[in-house]
Amino acid sequence: MFALTSSPTASTSRRPKIILRAKTGWQPVDIRELWEFRELLLILALRDIKVRYKQTVLGVAWAIIQPFFTMVVFTILFAGLGRLPTDGVRPEVFYYCGMLPWQLFATSMASAGISLLNSQNLITKTYFPRLFIPMASVVTGLIDFAIAFTVLLALMLWFRVAFHPQIVFLPVFVALGFFAAMAVGLWLSALSVEYRDVRYVIPFLTQFWMFATPIIYPSSIVKSEWKKMLLGLNPMSGVVEGFRWCMIGTPMSSREVVVSAVTIFLTLIGGAFYFRRMEKTFADLV
Amino acid sequence: MSDITIKVQGLGKQYRIGKRQRYNTLRDRIAALATAPFRRLHTAAAERDGQLFWALKDVSFEVNQGEVLGIIGRNGAGKSTLLKILSRITDPTEGVVEIDGRVGSLLEVGTGFHPELTGRENIYLNGAILGMHRGEIQRKFDEIVAFSEVEKFLDTPVKHFSSGMYMRLAFAVAAHLEPEILVVDEVLAVGDAAFQKKCMGKMGDVASHGRTVLFVSHNMNAIEKLCGHVLMLSRGRIQRMGTDIRGIIREFLGGDAEAQDTGRWDNPGDLYVNPWFKPNHMSFRDEAGNFVLMPAANDKPFHLRIEGEVQTLDPDLEVGIAVFAEDGELLFRSFQNDEVQERWPRLRKGRNVLQVKMPARLLNEGTYRVELMVARRNDKWIFCPGREGPPVYLTILGRLSDSPLWIGARPGLLAPVLNWQEIA
């Protein structure tokens, strides 16, 4: 729509022609267009946040309640009754610290996955980069994450868990979690337009994936370096391990993290291409 | 001014009819895998069986900068598909479109409005969705608010708005869009008459500022007032195009000449099939039940007979007529249940013959299109007035009054003979 101007002031000058024709095959992501529409991404994410907590009594507190009570249950069940190891850290902090990046991933991925189905009206009546619809969901997840993060800081102070210098790498792992959610979200959302099954797959997937990720157990229980790399194929295991390493100093296998990061970026690139390929059918199928 | 802004060449859009394509599930896909070797065959069969159809085919035209192009056509003629392609919502199946400039499209009023958000928040949201920059919206914010007339409710969630307020706010945002090319679907049909007038004025402004406008409407008055060129689509193809607005509109409204001459319409058999009411015949009769020959004198009432089959008996089923003047302006509507309940004709399942009496000396000389309307009350239109239902044409000529002084047609849509008395 307004894609081809770089600034509003350029609107009177001549702009390149838009050519519309049948698209076939794989389309790269149009970064310039995404940049042009960047304000819309923010506005869509803000809309999701405002709407989510309207007419709720507890409002934003919901972003905290979920990971907090999961942590409480885990502490009682797994650390208390099950006596699972937590790398020598207070189980409360250990679990909450694992839940945070997981929640970022799980909620963002799930809402991104069904985001296109929930935006039928936008898709059939207006044009803007469709990528923004799942992306906005992931950005929303990031804001929930930021709110829940404050509770982690409070927990660490309360239980007197020391901060470590590697905390400077924290943004790297948050970004990895963000991209992991985006990668899986892109795949799921593009699939959901054609296959409505996705709606039912998501809760199921989230549940299984969580147990496959070192949240209630440390990956230090896996001894062989080779098996750890295998564990890294689950992109979230590298993210969760790395996040905990930054915050509470539990051991981390750098090879595992590298494997996870590579998996995330391959999934993301693949997802972006698949999304672009399916994009042209969205308005007709959704 | 003769700069070509939009160039459309051999445009076509194919859709597949049928459920499988729409709601694909994994199960279907697995089944499809098993039959993959036969798929080529399958596509050919689909085409032959008419499961693939062209919503648009071989459409080519050019629009110059500053032109206002009206697009008319019956429902399903491909108007919306054309606008969707030009707005980049969907890709064409074949052909090329070249567009020189930014396109702002307004296919629906209030796209992306969120009921939980306030008026203010929705202005920003909707503006951004339509492609406006934040600065642009801020600059025009006051203007938008003033245009919409909802200042007092700016901080109220729009779910509490009346539908009129909602529409006004939505249109106000859209009206302040400033692209070089504006693509507008039937959106003027919202709000009350005063607001519609305001919208029309705004559209006229847009056009007079040298911007190119593509405008779809069923309102022929609006088309005639705003457009310099008209494109008439029929079954996905261009039927007429040009600057002879009146001529094209007349052709579009005229329908087939035969129906116009005889004042009757017969269903050839398989048209207008739907699960509720299938019309079979419509004609004008005189008091004795004989066909009225067109043109008809205006001194006797016209009895419009409607024959049809009720497929599903429903107490909410409504049958009515809408009477349009030659230029497409609606004169009035009438339904079978307009009078006190005791006098409603009873509809029964199967064949029904209804008759409605239109008074003599109400309409002026001219040709009127009387269109069948069918609806489920408070639910949905089955034949929505404005080219969905079958029409019959009433042509009135002569005997407008018994006065020796009133002979020919007078200006005005109606020509009733009223009773004058001296009181003192």
Side-chain angles (χ1 to χ4, degrees):
Chain A
M1 198 184 288
F2 288 1
L4 296 164
T5 43
S6 53
S7 76
T9 50
S11 63
T12 48
S13 67
R14 223 68 203 126
R15 72 209 68 257
K17 280 192 177 176
I18 307 170
I19 311 259
L20 310 175
R21 62 168 81 232
K23 292 191 193 80
T24 48
W26 301 97
Q27 304 287 326
V29 173
D30 188 344
I31 303 281
R32 218 156 66 103
E33 188 182 68
L34 292 185
W35 179 248
E36 178 59 30
F37 274 86
R38 63 195 183 276
E39 284 176 359
L40 182 59
L41 176 63
L42 204 68
I43 286 179
L44 286 176
L46 280 175
R47 174 197 67 172
D48 287 350
I49 290 160
K50 280 182 191 159
V51 168
R52 188 124 60 115
Y53 299 119
K54 281 217 172 169
Q55 278 203 6
T56 58
V57 179
L58 297 177
V60 177
W62 281 111
I64 296 167
I65 291 169
Q66 238 183 323
F68 187 84
F69 281 94
T70 316
M71 173 274 284
V72 170
V73 171
F74 283 0
T75 306
I76 295 168
L77 276 182
F78 302 117
L81 300 173
R83 299 194 178 282
L84 284 177
T86 54
D87 277 342
V89 184
R90 289 286 310 205
E92 291 88 346
V93 178
F94 181 85
Y95 292 137
Y96 194 84
C97 196
M99 279 311 290
L100 266 191
W102 173 255
Q103 285 271 315
L104 167 66
F105 171 75
T107 55
S108 307
M109 161 199 83
S111 64
I114 55 165
S115 60
L116 288 178
L117 295 182
N118 291 337
S119 311
Q120 286 181 2
N121 190 265
L122 285 184
I123 293 172
T124 54
K125 298 292 182 193
T126 52
Y127 175 79
F128 56 88
R130 308 304 191 204
L131 267 170
F132 278 177
I133 297 175
M135 274 169 88
S137 303
V138 181
V139 172
T140 310
L142 200 59
I143 294 170
D144 273 354
F145 169 81
I147 296 162
F149 186 75
T150 57
V151 175
L152 176 64
L153 296 179
L155 278 176
M156 287 175 68
L157 291 173
W158 179 263
F159 290 110
R160 294 170 191 281
V161 178
F163 288 88
H164 299 268
Q166 61 260 38
I167 196 166
V168 295
F169 291 107
L170 191 71
V172 175
F173 291 100
V174 175
L176 276 180
F178 177 84
F179 287 124
M182 182 107 82
V184 182
L186 285 182
W187 277 101
L188 289 176
S189 60
L191 283 166
S192 74
V193 174
E194 205 177 350
Y195 305 107
R196 303 295 154 125
D197 310 59
V198 168
R199 231 185 240 281
Y200 308 106
V201 167
I202 288 172
F204 194 65
L205 186 72
T206 319
Q207 208 171 17
F208 275 82
W209 203 326
M210 189 178 100
F211 290 113
T213 306
I215 295 167
I216 47 180
Y217 52 89
S219 67
S220 61
I221 56 173
V222 178
K223 293 292 175 237
S224 120
E225 198 60 18
W226 182 81
K227 282 186 184 159
K228 274 190 181 161
M229 282 172 70
L230 210 62
L231 209 63
L233 284 178
N234 166 7
M236 281 315 287
S237 71
V239 173
V240 170
E241 284 290 310
F243 188 82
R244 272 201 299 237
W245 171 70
C246 292
M247 290 306 294
I248 55 179
T250 50
M252 171 191 75
S253 149
S254 47
R255 285 196 193 143
E256 181 187 334
V257 170
V258 170
V259 173
S260 284
V262 170
T263 317
I264 287 170
F265 282 104
L266 290 181
T267 319
L268 183 64
I269 292 164
F273 273 99
Y274 181 66
F275 191 94
R276 289 284 288 169
R277 186 187 169 87
M278 300 310 290
E279 191 176 20
K280 59 176 180 282
T281 63
F282 289 169
D284 300 334
L285 290 178
V286 78
Chain B
M1 282 302 273
S2 63
D3 256 350
I4 294 170
T5 313
I6 302 176
K7 189 171 177 185
V8 176
Q9 271 178 317
L11 197 67
K13 174 78 183 177
Q14 191 179 44
Y15 283 104
R16 182 188 293 265
I17 330 169
K19 291 201 169 67
R20 179 145 301 193
Q21 176 79 0
R22 285 193 67 86
Y23 290 106
N24 232 327
T25 64
L26 278 174
R27 199 187 54 187
D28 291 334
R29 182 40 70 95
I30 291 162
L33 268 178
T35 58
F38 312 106
R39 200 170 308 148
R40 200 167 288 271
L41 250 151
H42 188 77
T43 314
E47 192 136 22
R48 194 189 58 226
D49 298 345
Q51 286 173 19
L52 294 172
F53 93 106
W54 290 93
L56 276 183
K57 184 78 180 153
D58 299 330
V59 171
S60 303
F61 62 92
E62 286 173 2
V63 187
N64 291 331
Q65 197 205 323
E67 241 174 56
V68 181
L69 177 71
I71 301 170
I72 58 178
R74 297 174 188 220
N75 288 317
K79 306 184 296 287
S80 297
T81 306
L82 178 59
L83 293 197
K84 276 189 179 175
I85 292 174
L86 294 177
S87 320
R88 305 174 68 187
I89 292 166
T90 187
D91 282 346
T93 311
E94 56 178 40
V96 186
V97 182
E98 284 174 41
I99 300 177
D100 204 1
R102 22 179 236 181
V103 178
S105 50
L106 186 52
L107 300 194
E108 183 191 60
V109 166
T111 306
F113 261 45
H114 199 290
E116 297 284 351
L117 298 180
T118 66
R120 183 187 304 276
E121 289 166 334
N122 268 310
I123 291 178
Y124 280 98
L125 175 61
N126 190 232
I129 286 170
L130 291 173
M132 278 193 251
H133 290 276
R134 201 178 165 76
E136 218 175 327
I137 305 171
Q138 257 156 5
R139 220 169 36 247
K140 291 181 188 153
F141 191 85
D142 294 334
E143 226 178 301
I144 292 173
V145 174
F147 189 87
S148 70
E149 305 165 12
V150 297
E151 293 91 338
K152 278 187 208 152
F153 305 96
L154 261 190
D155 295 304
T156 312
V158 297
K159 66 178 173 182
H160 299 305
F161 277 30
S162 74
S163 59
M165 285 158 61
Y166 185 94
M167 289 297 177
R168 286 209 300 272
L169 183 63
F171 189 87
V173 181
H176 290 81
L177 206 66
E178 281 183 351
E180 282 94 31
I181 301 160
L182 186 63
V183 172
V184 187
D185 205 346
E186 186 87 85
V187 287
L188 295 179
V190 302
D192 52 28
F195 190 70
Q196 278 192 25
K197 207 165 198 172
K198 202 166 163 181
C199 295
M200 285 275 288
K202 189 76 196 174
M203 292 275 298
D205 279 0
V206 170
S208 67
H209 281 80
R211 273 176 268 155
T212 312
V213 183
L214 270 70
F215 175 51
V216 162
S217 183
H218 283 113
N219 182 339
M220 295 302 138
N221 289 323
I223 293 274
E224 206 177 325
K225 269 185 205 131
L226 292 174
C227 304
H229 295 252
V230 177
L231 189 158
M232 176 175 162
L233 285 173
S234 173
R235 292 169 196 234
R237 291 162 192 270
I238 294 181
Q239 192 169 348
R240 283 282 303 275
M241 197 174 132
T243 51
D244 175 20
I245 315 288
R246 273 197 156 258
I248 298 174
I249 289 178
R250 203 173 284 261
E251 183 180 327
F252 170 61
L253 293 175
D256 56 314
E258 197 193 342
Q260 202 155 344
D261 289 344
T262 57
R264 73 180 269 181
W265 171 84
D266 287 285
N267 195 334
D270 53 352
L271 292 182
Y272 299 102
V273 175
N274 67 80
W276 304 98
F277 183 86
K278 181 193 168 205
N280 283 329
H281 168 87
M282 288 199 290
S283 59
F284 288 102
R285 312 287 183 121
D286 62 15
E287 212 90 41
N290 299 316
F291 288 107
V292 174
L293 297 174
M294 299 295 162
N298 205 9
D299 57 346
K300 296 203 179 62
F302 305 99
H303 301 263
L304 175 63
R305 193 172 286 189
I306 301 167
E307 286 183 31
E309 283 163 45
V310 172
Q311 314 281 359
T312 315
L313 193 58
D314 187 316
D316 289 338
L317 193 65
E318 291 186 318
V319 178
I321 51 168
V323 178
F324 296 91
E326 220 160 334
D327 59 359
E329 188 145 11
L330 175 70
L331 293 185
F332 60 87
R333 294 177 180 182
S334 166
F335 282 100
Q336 105 273 15
N337 48 14
D338 283 346
E339 290 190 280
V340 289
Q341 191 156 5
E342 293 80 58
R343 303 181 64 171
W344 296 357
R346 186 170 314 217
L347 293 175
R348 43 185 107 65
K349 196 167 157 54
R351 183 167 179 264
N352 287 266
V353 183
L354 300 175
Q355 188 157 287
V356 50
K357 178 172 157 184
M358 289 166 57
R361 290 180 177 163
L362 168 69
L363 301 174
N364 206 340
E365 271 188 359
T367 299
Y368 299 88
R369 186 163 54 90
V370 180
E371 197 181 291
L372 182 71
M373 305 187 286
V374 179
R376 288 188 63 203
R377 188 170 50 251
N378 302 330
D379 181 24
K380 61 169 180 191
W381 287 106
I382 293 149
F383 298 134
C384 173
R387 313 301 304 172
E388 275 189 6
V392 276
Y393 294 86
L394 175 63
T395 306
I396 294 174
L397 187 66
R399 302 207 66 109
L400 291 171
S401 94
D402 294 328
S403 158
L405 299 178
W406 182 357
I407 305 156
R410 284 182 180 172
L413 287 171
L414 303 178
V417 178
L418 304 178
N419 179 242
W420 286 74
Q421 287 177 337
E422 51 175 284
I423 299 300

